[in-house]
Amino acid sequence: MKYNQLGKSSLQISEVGFGCMSLGADDQANAVLIQEAISNGINFFDTADLYDHGNNEISLGKAIATAKREALVIATKVGNQWKADGSGWDWNPSKKYILASVEDSLRRLNTDYIDLYQLHGGTIQDPVDETIEAFEILVQQGKIRYYGISSIRPEVIREYVRKSNIVSVMMQYSLLDRRPEETSFPLLMENNIGVLARGTVAKGLLAGKAAAPYLNYSAKEVAQAAAGISTLSGENRPASQTALRYVLQQPAVTSAILGIRTAAHLSDAVAASAALPLMAAEVAQLNHILPVNKYEQFR
């Protein structure tokens, strides 16, 4: 497993991260899967207080209880507040809510500190200064080591780059979603901020799922992209791994966060890290399959 430094932090994280959102409700099964991931070199685990009403954090906490905490990088997210009746959630990036929520996440994760605490969204209308102040207080208190944001909005990303000490941005990126390349990737690389990529196989469309419209691309165009991935794949590098290698070979990307729910998912994720890298000519070939899409909103 390859490890990369996350932006300007001191965190060394596996290039394939374990996305815990896909985990089921069986804590014992989750523990077996997570411990196997650790054995295979995955050290970065991403969850959120939103997932399964906090139970996702609890399950992760139980799974890592016997592991060496200092060897793991635990990331979670905050900002979405469940309604009292559990029917949905409201966006709440306030200082008060963040300072209170971290206590709940620490308890559920059964840990004394969170390595990476991320704002789970954000709009340009948020009280950004107040939100940043909350994260800075938590760093000073030692409850979190670093903080970042999860956002695909260029205007929000620019604001946090300008005003805060974020070390990472989690965003969607794949051959079918190259929108971050226009402005976000250059800005983040210039400021030594790591990218945590999600959605690398575009809901499975780049890994064998039947073609369907995706973002601004038609089903026909999606099929063209999938065919391009397939052409460069084979027994030694299945389509899902080719799609992932494409993402990992983007210089701005520090780690790809994969949703892992089964032993087969884990095996594929580990194999992807060891898969043959794409040659420069292969990357260029994929880059020319479709016109690059760009963000149309929140620019």
Side-chain angles (χ1 to χ4, degrees):
M1 181 66 65
K2 181 183 177 184
Y3 300 88
N4 298 315
Q5 183 172 342
L6 183 60
K8 51 198 166 192
S9 78
S10 64
L11 301 176
Q12 293 288 329
I13 68 173
S14 48
E15 70 170 356
V16 172
F18 193 119
C20 296
M21 184 177 71
S22 298
L23 290 173
D26 187 332
D27 289 342
Q28 185 174 356
N30 293 343
V32 170
L33 198 60
I34 288 168
Q35 288 162 12
E36 183 65 18
I38 294 171
S39 296
N40 279 279
I42 294 177
N43 75 341
F44 185 78
F45 295 85
D46 177 77
T47 181
D49 58 5
L50 178 69
Y51 302 158
D52 195 19
H53 295 264
N55 289 317
N56 197 267
E57 287 182 327
I58 292 173
S59 195
L60 176 59
K62 290 178 179 179
I64 64 173
T66 59
K68 292 182 179 179
R69 177 64 183 87
E70 64 275 11
L72 305 180
V73 179
I74 305 302
T76 190
K77 309 183 196 74
V78 66
N80 293 293
Q81 182 176 17
W82 279 103
K83 295 181 179 181
D85 62 3
S87 63
W89 58 86
D90 296 314
W91 177 239
N92 189 348
S94 69
K95 174 182 175 182
K96 179 180 179 181
Y97 181 67
I98 292 172
L99 294 180
S101 294
V102 75
E103 303 296 341
D104 293 329
S105 286
L106 287 167
R107 173 181 52 79
R108 288 190 291 258
L109 289 164
N110 192 29
T111 186
D112 296 327
Y113 64 94
I114 293 165
D115 296 285
L116 180 65
Y117 204 33
Q118 303 160 99
L119 185 67
H120 202 174
T123 73
I124 203 66
Q125 288 77 36
D126 290 345
V128 174
D129 292 336
E130 178 183 326
T131 300
I132 293 171
E133 183 182 1
F135 283 114
E136 290 289 347
I137 288 172
L138 294 177
V139 171
Q140 293 167 12
Q141 293 176 342
K143 293 176 180 177
I144 67 173
R145 295 179 67 189
Y146 301 99
Y147 63 97
I149 62 173
S150 177
S151 178
I152 61 171
R153 300 185 177 196
E155 62 181 3
V156 172
I157 293 170
R158 282 197 303 271
E159 191 74 352
Y160 277 89
V161 169
R162 184 172 69 89
K163 290 186 171 183
S164 78
N165 293 307
I166 59 170
V167 300
S168 65
V169 176
M170 181 176 286
M171 60 175 64
Q172 183 170 285
Y173 180 67
S174 72
L175 181 60
L176 287 173
D177 188 357
R178 295 174 61 192
R179 296 175 298 175
E181 293 179 11
E182 183 188 7
T183 59
S184 295
F185 280 177
L187 176 67
L188 296 175
M189 289 184 68
E190 180 183 346
N191 288 275
N192 195 18
I193 296 170
V195 171
L196 303 173
R198 58 178 178 82
T200 57
V201 294
K203 297 183 177 179
L205 295 171
L206 296 175
K209 188 176 179 180
Y214 187 81
L215 297 179
N216 61 307
Y217 294 125
S218 67
K220 181 179 179 180
E221 290 173 315
V222 167
Q224 289 174 343
I229 291 285
S230 180
T231 298
L232 300 180
S233 304
E235 289 186 8
N236 294 327
R237 193 178 60 203
S240 61
Q241 295 177 18
T242 299
L244 177 60
R245 293 310 319 176
Y246 175 82
V247 169
L248 289 175
Q249 287 178 230
Q250 162 59 246
V253 173
T254 303
S255 180
I257 312 306
L258 307 183
I260 298 175
R261 187 186 183 100
T262 68
H265 290 159
L266 176 59
S267 178
D268 192 51
V270 172
S273 180
L276 295 172
L278 299 177
M279 294 183 291
E282 292 177 314
V283 174
Q285 182 178 330
L286 292 175
N287 282 342
H288 286 90
I289 292 175
L290 297 174
V292 181
N293 46 4
K294 298 181 179 180
Y295 289 115
E296 296 179 358
Q297 295 179 307
F298 313 116
R299 294 178 60 87

